[in-house]
Amino acid sequence: FKVEHLADALRFFILYKYGGYYVDMDVIMMQPLTLHRNFAAAETSDTLSIGAMHFDYMHPTITDVLEEFRKSYR
């Protein structure tokens, strides 16, 4: 899954470097997200999804995500 992992890494790095929103194209927005900041959608009760998220520039959570990604993926 090299292409998928590279896409994930780029997505995380861009959010870390610039901040902002990321939403997959298959997500249906029921309300505007303009008031929500620094979140990642939940996939299950103990798993985060990367289909919809927002982080401020260099937010500690996205920093932790990048570090975990670096350690976990080979």
Side-chain angles (χ1 to χ4, degrees), residues 3-5 12 22 26 28 37 40 49 52 56 58 60-61 70:
V3 173
E4 291 84 355
H5 291 170
F12 297 145
Y22 173 81
D26 62 349
I28 298 172
R37 297 175 59 160
S49 168
D56 290 335
M58 298 180 84
T61 301
R70 186 187 67 78

Side-chain angles (χ1 to χ4, degrees), residues 49-61:
S49 168
I50 58 172
M53 56 187 155
H54 173 276
F55 291 103
D56 290 335
Y57 165 76
M58 298 180 84
H59 190 273
T61 301

Side-chain angles (χ1 to χ4, degrees), residues 18-65:
Y18 301 104
Y21 287 96
Y22 173 81
V23 180
D24 278 347
M25 292 191 65
D26 62 349
V27 172
I28 298 172
M29 307 304 292
M30 301 299 286
Q31 296 178 358
L33 284 176
T34 56
L35 301 176
H36 304 288
R37 297 175 59 160
N38 302 316
F39 72 89
E43 189 166 318
T44 64
S45 61
D46 62 345
T47 306
L48 292 179
S49 168
I50 58 172
M53 56 187 155
H54 173 276
F55 291 103
D56 290 335
Y57 165 76
M58 298 180 84
H59 190 273
T61 301
I62 197 69
T63 304
D64 292 344
V65 167

